[in-house]
Amino acid sequence: MKNHFRGIKWRAGILSLALITSPLYADAAQGQLSIKKQSASLKQIIQLIEKESGYTFFFKSSDLDDSKKVNIDCEGSIEEVLKVALKESGMTYVIKDKEIILKPIPVTQNAQQKKRIIKGSVIDAETKEPIIGANVWVKETTIGAVTDVNGNYSLSVNANVGLVVASYLGYKDMEVMAGDKTEIQFKLVPDAEALEEVMVIAYGSQKKESVIGAISSVDVAKLKVPTSKISNNLAGQLAGIVAVTRSGEPGSGSAFYIRGISTFGANKNPLVLVDGIERSLDLVDPEDIASFSILKDATATAVYGVRGANGVILISTRKGADGAPRINVKAEMGILGPTKMPKMANSAQFAEMYNEASESKYYSQDVIDKYANGTDPDLYPDVNWIDELYQDFTTNQRVNVNISGGGSIAKYYIAGSIYNEGSIFKSDNSNDYNSSINYNKINFRANLDLNLSKSTILNLNLANVYEKKNSPGAATNNIWIYSFATSPNAFPARYSDGKFSGPLAGSGFNPYNLLMQSGYREQFWNSAQSLIGLTQDFSEIITPGLKANIKFSWDAYNSNLITRSKEVQQFMAIGRDENGNIIYNETAKGQESLGYKNEVYGYKTTYLEGSITYDRLFNDVHRVGALFLYNHKIKNYTATDDAQTSLPYKNQGIAGRITYSYNDRYFIEGNIGYNGSENFSPGKRFGVFPAGALGWMVSNEDFFQPITSIIDLLKIKGSYGIVGNDQIGGSRRFIYEATIKQSGVPSYQFGETGNYNPGAIRIGEWANANVGWEQAYKTNIGIELSLFRKLKLQGDIFHEKREGIFMQRGALPGLVGLSTTPWVNVGKMKNQGFDGSLEYEQTIGDFVLTGRGNFTYSQSEILDNDEPDWKNLYQNRIGKPYGQLFGLEALGLFQSQEEIDNSPTQSFGSVRVGDIKYNDINGDGLINEEDIVAIGHSNIPKINYGFGGTLQWKGIDVSVFFQGISKVSYFLIGNSIYGFNLGTLTRAAINEDVYLNRWTEDNPMAKYPRLDSKANTNNNRNSTFRMIDGSFLRFKNAEIGYTFPKKMLTGTFLKTVRIYASGVNLLTFSNFKLWDPEQGGGEGAGYPPSRIFNVGLNVNF
Amino acid sequence: MKFINYIALICSVFMISSCDSFLDKQEDEALTFEKIWSKRSTVEKYLNNVWGFMPEESNWVDENPWIGASDEASVTYNRGYRYMNFGTWSPSNVPYDRWSKFYSGIREANVFMQNIDATTAEDISEQERIQWKAEARYARAYYYFLLLRSYGPIMLVGDEPIDFNQDVATLSYMRNTYQECADYITKEMTECAAVLPLEQDAIYWGKPTKGAALSMIARLKLYSARPLFNGCELYAGIANPDGTKLFPTYDKNRWKEAAEANKRVIDLGIYELYEDESGNPIKSYLGVGLKTWNKEIIMARWTGGYYNRVHCTPRVVGGAAFGGIGPTQQQVDAYAMANGRYPIKGYRNDGTPIIDETSGYKEDGFSNFEHPYDQLKDGHKQKSTFNMYVGREPRFYATVLWSGADWPYMAGGKVPVFAFNGNSGPGVSHDYPKSGYICRRFIDGSLNSNGGQWGNLTFPIFRLAEIYLNYVEALNEFDPTNTDILLYLNKIRSRAGVPNIEEVYPEAVNNQSLMRELIRKERRIELAFETHRYFDTRTWMIAEQTDNGPMFGMNTMAPVANANTTPAAFWQRAEFEVRVFEPKHYLYPFSQRELDRNKQLTQNFGW
């Protein structure tokens, strides 16, 4: 009976929805009833009727006021009995077959119109302090208010009111039946459960103190930096994140890794899950994020099995909360400019350098003077291409609105944002199209939770991202390349009479034309993310703590690029006629109209997941949890170039977890992933990935209690397990099958006119029936510590061994004659290190001070890359970190011919005084490839860190954040560094730093070697001379805000108002000065990271 | 209850249906290796793949160092031949290392030959099947020859594609001896010659013929008789780990075999030296390279003219013109005078030439001179010309373009100047010939490259003139009085418009060593820029003299007053680089990469 009754309640939920649409009719009841009961509640009476009559009742328990006790004694038909039983309940009924549906008597029009006021206050039940900003609302309505500075509220309500609810974060909700009351006092009780921090973990959440895997999370507010992509905001924010932003171009994201790189295989990237669905991180608006965590060790990621080896990033989006609608509006605008732009030598300096390099007077003094005084910019130009093409700053704007609220039936979070960012690219306003980069993004999200019954939640998350980017018709990387390559004296940006300038065909482009006269491109991305989920709590049906969930998502992503490009008619001035008019040579005919090209890309994904979870505390000491989950995913690319990539990509798996803790002191956890990948042979697709962890909360032990005033929390934990990586082939699929290669196979032309060419065909990739996933063996030992309840420390030591890295055989001799080297699972790599974080909070009077910091150190080592030993063992890649730079060791610059004669022969080209002198590592008297050794570090930083703090004083808040990387090296490579490397004078721009610091006889200990008028194959090699230390410390973010006092807002519709100003990338400290060190090596030819100054307004209604 | 049942049902359905089948590849009827052999079109494609590893011998910049690292030319660009010229190559830096590429060709040929017999394609006739198999066999043997000429003896891997899944240790192979390699190639090519047609249909020109297979044997036999592969002392000690000596001892009979092998090609009787209708020797000689599929060609590869021509077109011509391939002064000096006398007898220690005064050659002053090529055009004109270039034999004018000479394109009217800051010289660009000359042998004067016309080449792999030269060289070694020597040598000279050798050098008749020298000179000139010289200087083992030391050209560092006028200071011999050739350079090194992997591999001498 008991269970039966619960079943009814649950089904009533479903039916109450059905009733809205289905027509009602009553069926005459048969048979007589006799009901007799003293002081019974309505529910008891209903049970009695059910028992006697065989009818089943359906109702929403919230509709039923079960508090009144009545006496009942009647006899008759079911209708007669019901009339008596429901007389004072405010309910009416409908009979359908053997079911009786109860519903409230509709409120009359008259009663609704009568308004009255309910007022009162909300206070803390313990301290009796007023609670400011608490929500008070009439349940099931939109009528609500927020308490003022004195904790008072006032509601204008209808005459007939049900429950009034008060809620505030950290307190239990309190409900009071309003009846005809005009004043209600709420005394809220702090909610210990609600205050307990919960951490998002794989396929669920856990009490923070029971988490014994290595998981870091970040306060989401920290990620809300005014940039377009969240991946750009990760660097330095979490212990364990390694993020690299190489470009500041609007709309571009960053590369990021968890705990560095642990494999040299194809996929090094973590798995990113948004609301449990694999999605791109950058499709999420930072404003919509409720939690952001990274899962680092085996126990945290084992349930993802074959996909979790590189770590997992979990993001959940915000949900609605009970209460009246809360509207949050945030508007920001800012200006952005490059952090640092390289500077090139001007024409006079350029000419001086060339004369020196070529040991000639190619540029006469007269010409150099003309460059310097700028009297004839058409024939003797001096163009600073970087200034000519790029402006110092641009602007961005963002408006974000979100509304959240909810009641007992539904909770909602609805958000929308608009973001717009310009670029530093200049545009020619005389064209009727804009060729600059402009990036727009519109985000929309609606997250709904519907309570279908007390224990059933239907969850619907819908999000849509609409991105648009306008850019120049020419490829942006070409614009960067030519703006860095074009000599200052090559030609003017445009001749003074308006003619377009340009070099001879085949010898480059005029970057001004590329940027502003090449038409435009318009790229459009559209992403729709949809998720529906149903959660049933079986606590009252089967056993407490049991829940089941089913989840289905369908996502689509499409992009479309329209290129409307052209080339303008261009000329080159070759002199002046006797009248002083410029004589032109036409160098490009150009096109009259814009061309048209359209490229599309897209994919669609469906995902299905079903899970059962169990979580229960027995006897107040034994906490048991379990998870069992099934999922599968199908992804299709919708616009592919070849048949194979158009086939669906599928994943499938099962995950399980069991956790146990005793008295919150001892924790044990086991995780298992069992999943498969389509990449592998039938029968070899599925693998088991187990992991286990142990934890000890030392501070909960009795013996520890005396010192809890100093150390209030101490937890020690350790984990070990195996996780896999099945994305091992990059674009390679179905590795168990061979592929046939047709395009790109060199063929031979035959025939009288060479037109017999049947094409060529051969085996592309070899079949490998034994191939499997990479396996990561991960160990983690961690400690959590809290001192004086103010300082929280967390640290983890990790060690990972990756085996079975999928790679091309390196050990096969050439005589085997393979056109394609086969791929096998033979690589091994190790990665180990440390990550830790620190949080501090202190209140001194009105001041609230917080500080935080985190640090990640990871060191990888290649253990096996299938290469036999090199002749010189120091050249082995095995034993070195991944990405280790290799080059020659420079000993300085040759200062005399005698020194050259007495040094080992350098085999890379003829050597002169002022050239780089290298170290003969193997001592064979010859400097060649055998003298290349490991130098510096890798281009992925080994050390990543961030630290910052906040200060609040009354309404004012200030925050600062610094971020840095260390143990990272790059090579300077590029014509603007080498000088005259291409052997042409029009594409030979040289960095001013080279001009200032090059070797000359007067500057023997120079930073750069002597200039050569052609490619210098001795100097232009990777060596310690050309290597830079890429470490930097960056003042990444600062913000100052002011929140207006509540008093000022009293009487307005505003709840809170905050204004703020912030800055991003404010200062960079680095030994490397030529461009932003985060851009890496090369010659800095790319969109630099932006420095941003922002002002914003945040209003809550 | 129903709900939990529902979940259980869903889960169990997935469990059962799951496991493998969900992850099965969606059937898409992809082409498989087996299917290749069931259709004529794919079988033809596979055969073409076997041929896809053939080197593009006319691309002297990116495909091979045979021009850039020989004494006939200088190629300006920064490529691997620089390491070879400066003696700084090593096993860890092997320029143009084609080891893996040719073994890939060998493997693909093996795969083809293993599968073609079982083809189920009905529209391939028995005759075609046999012939296609022979074409793959030809390619395989030719790849072995290409390896042999660079590395010396190599490994013969048999007919089965090597199973690469074996233990790596079992993939170590010892080198076969030179004799085994040469015998294998000879045997294979003999079998090909028995099957291949005398001439392919016109749509298949460029596929191998009986003549091509015999020519391959003929050249191999010649190389096998020359000093490098015939009792060379340097390599006498090179042996496998098991003690097997890899290089043969001297056997004079190899010269006889070489002569016979070449005579067999001549005796086919289907090839003849190309002569232009006009009888003009410049046109005839140019035609050898430019007239596609002319009667002299035994084997050639059809190719677009761009890659060759763009590097031989001086910058002044405009358009794509990288003009960086120039004959050396040594090559210029090698051409005879019109009277047949060779002007330069040798060099003094300081590099100055020893001039044969009887030749009529002068190296100073200028004459009003009409370029013989101009006489082929409408506009005759005389130009003041450095005397060095006056009165030379026709092949000189067909091969060498000097500073100030007209660009051959008829409507061009461009005059390159190779001096410093000249329109095609050093200064503003690295695209210039270091020697101050440009090779113009494969420039078709009827096509305007500035207008995008590059034409096509059937770049000779084997041609009759080479066979004649092979033949007379071999004859002279074992039968110096054989009258065929003069007969065939003079056929070449006659086509080239130079007097018979006995008229110019009567003392050479029956004088083996003088005749040897003259045959080598003839070969250098006739086969210039056909990638022979590199291998000739090495198999003759004269590279220590020819490729070691200063290389000369004109003085390109002389600055111009006017970019279109060659300055007077240009007209003097100038050293543009000093090359290093050590004995170890006679053969390529095996790369360190290969040595690390194949522990049975014996490195060549000196490396």
Side-chain angles (χ1 to χ4, degrees), chain A residues 354 362 548 608 648 650 652 682-683 685 737 742 748 751-752 756-757 759 762 809-810 814 816-817 819 907 983, chain B residues 14 18-20 22 24-26 44-45 48-49 88 107-108 168 202-203 205 293 302 427-430 594 597:
Chain A
Y354 188 72
Y362 182 76
L608 178 70
K650 298 182 210 169
Q652 187 184 34
R685 286 173 176 156
E737 286 186 353
Q742 297 206 58
Y748 204 94
E752 187 174 3
Y756 172 76
N757 181 357
R762 66 168 168 249
R809 291 296 305 271
V816 178
S819 311
S907 72
Chain B
F14 290 134
S18 81
C19 295
D20 261 27
F22 175 80
D24 279 349
K25 180 187 172 191
Q26 181 178 310
E44 270 188 293
K45 284 182 180 188
N48 203 3
N49 159 49
T88 55
R107 182 188 185 92
E108 296 294 348
V168 174
I203 61 158
W205 281 354
W293 307 119
W302 176 278
V428 294
S429 171
H430 65 165
E594 193 71 5
R597 283 159 183 74

Side-chain angles (χ1 to χ4, degrees), chain B residues 156-226:
Chain B
L156 303 170
V157 296
D159 292 337
E160 293 275 346
I162 297 174
D163 176 8
F164 57 84
N165 286 319
Q166 297 175 83
D167 182 36
V168 174
T170 63
L171 295 176
S172 287
Y173 280 61
M174 279 191 282
R175 295 168 72 178
N176 288 80
T177 65
Y178 182 89
Q179 201 57 51
E180 284 166 350
C181 295
D183 288 350
Y184 179 79
I185 297 168
T186 305
K187 176 182 79 69
E188 290 290 299
M189 283 298 186
T190 307
E191 282 182 37
C192 290
V195 175
L196 290 171
L198 266 180
E199 190 179 6
Q200 294 268 11
D201 292 343
I203 61 158
Y204 296 128
W205 281 354
K207 287 193 166 210
T209 58
K210 186 186 181 80
L214 293 178
S215 300
M216 175 74 271
I217 297 170
R219 192 191 294 170
L220 173 65
K221 291 279 187 194
L222 180 74
Y223 282 6
S224 301
R226 284 177 174 176

Side-chain angles (χ1 to χ4, degrees), chain B residues 257-272:
Chain B
E257 284 181 34
E260 287 165 0
N262 282 284
K263 189 67 167 44
R264 258 196 299 280
V265 181
I266 296 169
D267 289 344
L268 288 176
I270 56 171
Y271 308 108
E272 55 192 59

